[in-house]
Structures are given as C-alpha cells and as structure tokens.
Amino acid sequence: ETGVTQTPRHLVMGMTNKKSLKCEQHLGHNAMYWYKQSAKKPLELMFVYNFKEQTENNSVPSRFSPECPNSSHLFLHLHTLQPEDSALYLCASSQEGGVYNSPLHFGNGTRLTVT
Amino acid sequence: AQKITQTQPGMFVQEKEAVTLDCTYDTSDQSYGLFWYKQPSSGEMIFLIYQGSYDEQNATEGRYSLNFQKARKSANLVISASQLGDSAMYFCAMTDSGYSTLTFGKGTMLLVSP
C-alpha cells in the first residue's frame, strides 16, 4: 500500500452532479489536508483536519464539503460545481498536525474536470 | 502573510550537470520552515528536503542540497549530477507561524536532457 491513496484518479462531472473524492493514509498520521492545484497557480490549501477535527477552512465555497470520519480517511464532497473548479485535488497527511515535525505526504491527486 | 516566489517557470539542464532552482520567501515570523517538493507527471508531490529557520547548516539529502541565505530570504535548491528522472515540477514551500500548513510557490519545471 502506498502512503496516501486517492480515488478516483480522474473524474469528469457536470455542474449539477454530486460526487465525492476519497483519501486514505496508511502512515499512522493524525492530520490530513485537502489542497487544490490549478494551472499556473500555487497550490491552495482548502481544509485541514487534526485528530478528525477541522482546524482550518481556507475560505472555500460551500459547494466543497469535507468529511473526516477518522484519522485515516478524508473525503471531499462536491456538488453544483463550476467549470473553474476543474483542477488537481491533492490530499496530504502529516504527523502531529505540524509540518515542522514531519513533512506532508501527498497522494497522487484526483484530476477533476467540471463540464 | 507568507509568500513564496519562484521566478523560473522552466529550467533546462543536461544529464550529470548541476542545477539551481531559485526560491525567495517573505515572512514576518522569526521561526519558520522551508521545504522543497518534486511533482512528476504522475501528480504525486514528493518531499525532498527541509530547512529550519534556526538551522545553521544548509540541509542536504543525497543529491539535493538547500542553499539557505537567511538575510536574503532565499532557499535555493541545488541538484547535483542531474538524472533524467529528475525531470518534474519543483515547488518551494514554507510553514506558517503555527507550523500547521504550507504555503507553496508556483513551481519550476525542470527538464533534464540526455
């Protein structure tokens, strides 16, 4: 098993669809993150969970809804998205909720296309 | 607020040569961390190297070294003896004051030719 696994790898959805992205980490970490990577823009932090509690919501629109049922799993629920939401969505995890203590370990990402 | 600047959108280097990828940062924090990540075409972000703001020596990890110049607020990545597999996007990043999240630069695309 790789450290951080994201499914699906690719997703195409219409603006009226509802879909979910899944992330699972096998590293025993207790913090998980969602990042958005758009073309020609820096990675943007979306959400942070420490010990299953959301500690940061970086002004993300409500059409993105995260869920962290336990420290190993993280979901991003999507509904009524816009074409500008098309991007690579990266999940990451770290130990002790601090990148100072351990670097982020990323998954391969989900390439999302909104039509 | 923290800011990372990578001024080189793309870099070319021949195999076995050394290459330096530039990174400058801006922060008002006294304590911070600097990171470099590699992103191959597969999409995964791979951690390469870390430098703490109070570390007196430059960090090294195998063929990677971080040229940390605190007064100039620069944290350049040096890759020695480039390999074809080094072709990828490279991102410089830094922690915020709470060490809980990372701020990334826009990245530099490195292409290594035979």
Side-chain angles (χ1 to χ4, degrees):
Chain A
E1 289 280 5
T2 57
V4 180
T5 304
Q6 287 187 244
T7 55
R9 290 297 309 276
H10 302 273
L11 178 62
V12 180
M13 58 187 289
M15 289 190 285
T16 58
N17 292 156
K18 289 184 180 181
K19 296 287 184 183
S20 295
L21 310 184
K22 179 182 176 182
C23 177
E24 183 175 1
Q25 59 97 1
H26 308 276
L27 301 168
H29 290 165
N30 50 28
M32 297 188 77
Y33 310 76
W34 279 116
Y35 278 86
K36 176 183 178 182
Q37 186 177 23
S38 305
K40 300 180 180 179
K41 292 176 68 175
L43 271 76
E44 301 171 70
L45 177 66
M46 299 176 73
F47 301 104
V48 182
Y49 277 83
N50 283 323
F51 295 98
K52 304 184 298 177
E53 299 295 322
Q54 184 176 314
T55 58
E56 187 150 347
N57 174 339
N58 208 23
S59 302
V60 180
S62 59
R63 57 186 184 269
F64 295 92
S65 174
E67 178 189 1
C68 188
N70 55 61
S71 58
S72 298
H73 293 86
L74 184 65
F75 296 89
L76 188 62
H77 304 298
L78 316 171
H79 65 97
T80 58
L81 294 190
Q82 304 298 311
E84 59 266 27
D85 297 323
S86 298
L88 180 68
Y89 288 84
L90 288 161
C91 174
S93 69
S94 70
Q95 183 61 14
E96 299 178 16
V99 296
Y100 185 79
N101 293 313
S102 78
L104 293 180
H105 291 260
F106 285 85
N108 286 338
T110 295
R111 175 69 64 185
L112 173 68
T113 303
V114 181
T115 60
Chain B
Q2 300 183 322
K3 184 178 179 181
I4 293 282
T5 302
Q6 294 180 254
T7 57
Q8 306 155 315
M11 289 284 286
F12 294 88
V13 67
Q14 277 203 311
E15 199 176 7
K16 300 180 184 177
E17 290 186 349
V19 63
T20 298
L21 306 184
D22 295 340
C23 173
T24 58
Y25 60 92
D26 190 22
T27 181
S28 56
D29 294 330
Q30 295 301 310
S31 184
Y32 49 89
L34 295 155
F35 299 77
W36 277 92
Y37 281 83
K38 171 185 177 181
Q39 187 179 40
S41 56
S42 61
E44 182 183 4
M45 296 282 281
I46 303 168
F47 165 72
L48 295 178
I49 196 166
Y50 164 80
Q51 176 87 41
S53 59
Y54 290 113
D55 294 340
E56 294 185 353
Q57 290 192 329
N58 287 343
T60 59
E61 289 286 348
R63 295 185 299 110
Y64 304 108
S65 61
L66 198 152
N67 184 359
F68 181 47
Q69 297 187 42
K70 194 170 183 177
R72 300 175 70 176
K73 293 189 174 180
S74 73
N76 298 340
L77 177 70
V78 180
I79 305 175
S80 63
S82 298
Q83 301 172 356
L84 295 178
D86 293 335
S87 294
M89 280 289 287
Y90 288 81
F91 291 93
C92 180
M94 71 182 303
T95 55
D96 67 358
S97 57
Y99 300 107
S100 62
T101 58
L102 285 176
T103 299
F104 284 84
K106 289 187 176 183
T108 296
M109 172 63 77
L110 175 66
L111 291 177
V112 181
S113 60

